[in-house]
Amino acid sequence: MNERAIKGIVVDAGHGGADPGATANGLREKDLNLKAAQYMYQRLQELGIPTTIVRDTDETVDRDERVKRILDAYGNDPNVIVISNHINAGGGGFSYHC
């Protein structure tokens, strides 16, 4: 197997600020994404894994700034993992497609 040395992990809380993402039942995607990203960031730090978070507050981050923050963390390196959290709304049913 081709093993790679992970240089770092960038955790992105999708949406934020003026962009709420999906909303339903009093929930906003941006809030759930941020909570998930903060948990992941903290846990990875506890494990001693080099980790950066794109946003750790409810702020608007446009596409260009988001990409800049991701690249500023560890550069454009194939040994960097980027995790972008999104919790999307669905149509209410479950279907599985192969």
Side-chain angles (χ1 to χ4, degrees):
M1 179 173 215
N2 182 10
E3 294 194 27
R4 298 181 346 190
I6 300 303
K7 186 173 181 180
I9 298 176
V10 181
V11 180
D12 173 33
H15 303 287
D19 177 9
T23 59
N25 302 312
L27 298 173
R28 297 180 302 185
E29 181 183 1
K30 69 176 185 174
D31 299 330
L32 299 174
N33 292 342
L34 181 57
K35 285 183 181 184
Q38 288 170 327
Y39 173 81
M40 293 168 70
Y41 172 75
Q42 179 181 13
R43 187 66 185 120
L44 291 165
Q45 289 280 303
E46 289 170 358
L47 294 170
I49 299 169
T51 307
T52 300
I53 191 166
V54 171
R55 69 175 182 93
D56 60 1
T57 62
D58 184 23
E59 66 174 305
T60 302
V61 182
D62 69 29
R63 184 189 60 177
D64 292 338
E65 178 63 20
R66 192 173 302 270
V67 171
K68 181 184 179 314
R69 291 181 188 187
I70 290 168
L71 292 175
D72 284 351
Y74 304 102
N76 189 9
D77 188 304
N79 295 318
V80 174
I81 296 172
V82 178
I83 302 170
S84 184
N85 291 300
H86 288 273
I87 302 168
N88 296 321
F94 175 80
S95 63
Y96 177 78
H97 300 280
C98 292

